[in-house]
Amino acid sequence: MTNPLFIGLDIGASRTKVAVIDMNGSLMGHAVNKSGTDFSLTAAACLDRALEMAGATRSRVLRAVSTGYGRTNVSFITNTSKTEIGCLARGCHHAFPEAITVIDIGGQDNKIVKLDSAGRRSSFKMNRKCAAGTGAFLEEMASRLDLPLERMNDLARQSDDMVKLGSYCTVFSATEVLENIRHGKKVSDIVKGIFYSVIKRVLEMDSLTERVVMSGGVVAHNPYIVEMAAEMIGRPVLLPEFPQLAGAIGAALYARDDKSQGES
Amino acid sequence: MADESKTGRKKIQATDTMNRLMADYFYGLNEAAKSGRQKVAWCTSVGPAELLRAMGFAVHFPENHAALLGATRMSTDLIPAANAIGYSPDICSYLTADVGAHLTGITPLAKAYPGIEAVPRPDVLVYNTNQCRDVQDWFAWYARELNVPCIGISSPKNIGAVTDAHIDDVARQMEALIPTLEEIAGARLDMDRLRETVSLSRECTELWKRVLETATVTPAPLTFFDGTIHMGPAVVLRGTREAIDYYTVLLAELEERIAEGAGAVDGEQYRVYWDGMPVWGRLRQHSELFAGLGANVVASTYCSSWIFPAFDGNDPIRSMAKAYLELFIVRSDSYKEQYIQEMLRKFRIDGIIYHDAKTCPCNSNSRYGLPQRLETKTGIPNLVISGDLNDLRCVSDEQTKTNVEAFIELIEEGK
């Protein structure tokens, strides 16, 4: 096959991400959608959109790898899967080929993955069975504040007197938010406090190495969280071009290199 | 990554023999309680069982019953009954499952063994806090509920070397139990019988150790998950000839497997150590998960905790005191580190999994930096999984699966 394409499908608990790459690992197309209740249908729709962006059809797809919670729901395109931790590591190391610590803030999970300069994982941590510090936490807080999720980033930037939230339980934090509303605190200060809480929860999961990369939907849509995190850890944080697609790109890279699925 | 369907696990043929042995044990207990021919003592799993057995008691182990509640996945429905009377969901889920079962009038024994309707009613409750305080609170609940005497031993915790002072203390506490037990049993303690019982326990423990150490061979002929089932006789029948006979049969089968080069997991590629409690309600899933990835959990702290090298029939009480103090769970973190490090070497381990059991802090060794210290020392990677022994409300299957799969990927990358 000439100019074959490789697909990575990251079917997350919250969002489905699809990346299309070529033999050189260049991103040719991508799509993101809510995972919804039919992972297979959502993945197929994302795949077609991503291929359309790449100006191609499914006939040009040579291999695909899936990852994420719904990784076994995409048999229409592949039965090969890798863990999201592996794909995330691969995608981030592709963007920054050096020893890095990846902090991924996803819809349901947070992950900290440490990689050596060759991209080999030396350790990883996932959040405990708790939504603290995840996208689900932000969604819950946005709902409590009656705010569209996409407004949170701009509001947090406007804060000049951040509210501190002490609890690491989503339910208790919601109570704290209500208490602050009752005391007349500004919404922007509460939102910044919520962002601060997210970063604190993630940073307490593990120690960091020198070079830190952040990825995931939460940082893709809330760049202010990255700025706050950089300030908190005292050094710049690297961000791939498409932070939300890091896992999907990693899966696509695995697909490219997985000769066991068949050659062109 | 290996496909789960392509790898398999081998059944241990001696399982049927063990099942018959355990059935005889439970029917014997039931008969003792119903007929009144033998007094019934409830004992904590690493309590002074030899003393009770030598005094003629039929011995029931509530922890064994609680594990059965977990393995049959009944526990999660029963725990709330104990929560509702003030026993927190944060405390031992063996305790809450067992108390919940009592409150609800349910036992897995009734389903497994026709004719048994209930757990044998105790004449005395005997604990040893060498594991945790919860066992004492657990037995205290039954003491109030059933109006039965509750006596026991308060062991020190977090100790490095086991000293004569520790042994003197526990041996004296053990001796102090004897008059009460004699009164309930209606007979004096026969020291010769105690010596013989302790000697039988020693023989049992040596065989159990040899069973577990067959897994030092690659491929290992048994898994941790097999061990959690086959340790039954070492827990409830130590001090009896039947347990010794059983482990002789099991050992022969495992040695035969070794001679044939047959591993418990087809295509064993990775050797894993498990620290902490099993997730009883997920034994099969976890066993399949690891086997499907070409990984065998070849050794564990948990199964090895029923090895008691100190038992000595010539000095029964002091040696029991020593044996029940030398337990891993009684010891300091620096001892635990050395112990696990030696296990990693002996079993040639590629990675360690620490099960952080929500309701069992004393069996969760990942909470005071031990995994990090040990990884720095040995270079062997570790994974901490959150879960619980009996409360499946604290278990996330998807997170466990992703974590374990990613961990095996990590080991694979490092090979």
Side-chain angles (χ1 to χ4, degrees), chain A residues 8-219:
Chain A
L9 305 103
D10 179 359
I11 298 96
S14 172
R15 299 289 190 278
T16 291
K17 290 79 67 178
V18 172
V20 180
I21 63 166
D22 65 10
M23 202 51 156
N24 300 319
S26 303
L27 187 64
M28 307 302 289
H30 54 89
V32 179
N33 211 344
K34 270 193 175 174
S35 294
T37 52
D38 189 333
F39 287 172
S40 182
L41 201 67
T42 306
C46 280
L47 173 64
D48 290 338
R49 266 175 45 215
L51 282 170
E52 192 183 335
M53 187 177 174
T57 62
R58 288 193 194 186
S59 61
R60 264 183 69 195
V61 175
L62 184 55
R63 289 188 290 269
V65 164
S66 63
T67 189
Y69 282 117
R71 61 189 177 276
T72 57
N73 294 82
V74 289
S75 55
F76 66 89
I77 184 82
T78 184
N79 286 311
T80 303
S81 67
K82 295 286 281 186
T83 65
E84 52 262 45
I85 291 153
C87 292
L88 189 63
R90 188 76 197 270
C92 287
H93 194 261
H94 179 69
F96 302 102
E98 55 188 309
I100 49 173
T101 296
V102 178
I103 299 175
D104 184 84
I105 307 179
Q108 201 76 34
D109 293 323
N110 295 328
K111 301 164 196 90
I112 294 192
V113 190
K114 292 181 187 173
L115 306 174
D116 66 15
S117 57
R120 282 187 300 258
R121 280 167 275 174
S122 56
S123 73
F124 69 89
K125 290 267 173 65
M126 281 176 78
N127 57 309
R128 294 182 296 165
K129 193 170 66 65
C130 168
T134 67
F137 172 76
L138 283 184
E139 283 177 6
E140 172 66 20
M141 293 303 130
S143 154
R144 294 287 176 138
L145 291 168
D146 202 15
L147 282 174
L149 208 51
E150 55 275 13
R151 276 201 60 208
M152 292 185 93
N153 191 66
D154 290 340
L155 273 169
R157 272 190 199 284
Q158 291 163 21
S159 165
D160 50 20
D161 185 19
M162 184 182 81
V163 160
K164 279 210 171 181
L165 301 173
S167 172
Y168 60 49
C169 165
T170 302
V171 176
F172 287 1
S173 293
T175 311
E176 281 187 83
V177 164
L178 292 175
E179 196 182 333
N180 280 292
I181 293 171
R182 211 173 59 233
H183 285 107
K185 296 284 182 186
K186 286 195 291 185
V187 172
S188 57
D189 293 338
I190 297 173
V191 173
K192 187 168 180 183
I194 290 167
F195 277 17
Y196 184 80
S197 165
V198 166
I199 303 162
K200 286 280 280 182
R201 297 293 80 81
V202 175
L203 292 182
E204 70 198 11
M205 284 168 57
D206 204 353
S207 60
L208 305 176
T209 52
E210 184 57 32
R211 302 283 276 170
V212 175
V213 177
M214 289 186 86
S215 65
V218 167
V219 300

Side-chain angles (χ1 to χ4, degrees), chain B residues 58-113:
Chain B
V59 188
H60 167 74
F61 296 86
E63 284 154 81
N64 170 252
H65 186 249
L68 286 172
L69 289 166
T72 51
R73 289 172 296 286
M74 296 165 80
S75 53
T76 305
D77 291 335
L78 299 170
I79 289 167
N83 299 155
I85 61 158
Y87 283 75
S88 163
D90 291 332
I91 65 165
C92 172
S93 60
Y94 268 3
L95 183 167
T96 49
D98 190 62
V99 166
H102 181 89
L103 291 168
T104 321
I106 285 175
T107 172
L109 298 178
K111 197 175 173 191
Y113 306 108

Side-chain angles (χ1 to χ4, degrees), chain B residues 50-241:
Chain B
E50 290 73 14
L51 186 62
L52 300 170
R53 221 178 278 291
M55 295 181 84
F57 286 98
V59 188
H60 167 74
F61 296 86
E63 284 154 81
N64 170 252
H65 186 249
L68 286 172
L69 289 166
T72 51
R73 289 172 296 286
M74 296 165 80
S75 53
T76 305
D77 291 335
L78 299 170
I79 289 167
N83 299 155
I85 61 158
Y87 283 75
S88 163
D90 291 332
I91 65 165
C92 172
S93 60
Y94 268 3
L95 183 167
T96 49
D98 190 62
V99 166
H102 181 89
L103 291 168
T104 321
I106 285 175
T107 172
L109 298 178
K111 197 175 173 191
Y113 306 108
I116 296 182
E117 288 158 7
V119 172
R121 188 186 162 83
D123 295 292
V124 63
L125 305 156
V126 185
Y127 62 83
N128 187 342
T129 62
N130 48 2
Q131 301 169 81
C132 59
R133 63 161 278 179
D134 292 55
V135 292
Q136 185 178 356
D137 293 291
W138 184 353
F139 281 27
W141 185 83
Y142 278 109
R144 288 188 295 270
E145 177 77 5
L146 303 173
N147 194 25
V148 176
C150 180
I151 56 177
I153 298 155
S154 295
S155 289
K157 289 287 287 175
N158 209 4
I159 57 176
V162 176
T163 65
D164 280 346
H166 293 128
I167 297 168
D168 289 346
D169 171 21
V170 169
R172 273 204 293 273
Q173 291 191 59
M174 225 174 258
E175 283 162 355
L177 302 176
I178 294 170
T180 307
L181 292 172
E182 285 179 335
E183 197 180 315
I184 294 164
R188 297 294 302 275
L189 168 65
D190 177 344
M191 281 307 282
D192 285 338
R193 197 166 166 198
L194 180 61
R195 283 189 194 94
E196 188 194 343
T197 308
V198 171
S199 296
L200 290 170
S201 270
R202 170 66 185 257
E203 219 177 313
C204 173
T205 206
E206 279 173 1
L207 280 164
W208 177 237
K209 181 171 189 271
R210 286 177 64 193
V211 163
L212 293 178
E213 288 186 351
T214 59
T216 55
V217 174
T218 302
L222 89 162
T223 72
F224 160 62
F225 306 102
D226 296 327
T228 61
I229 301 299
H230 288 267
M231 66 194 268
V235 177
V236 302
L237 286 167
R238 63 178 188 274
T240 70
R241 175 56 60 190

Side-chain angles (χ1 to χ4, degrees), chain B residues 24 146 192 276 300 366 376:
Chain B
D24 289 347
L146 303 173
D192 285 338
S300 68
S366 57
T376 303

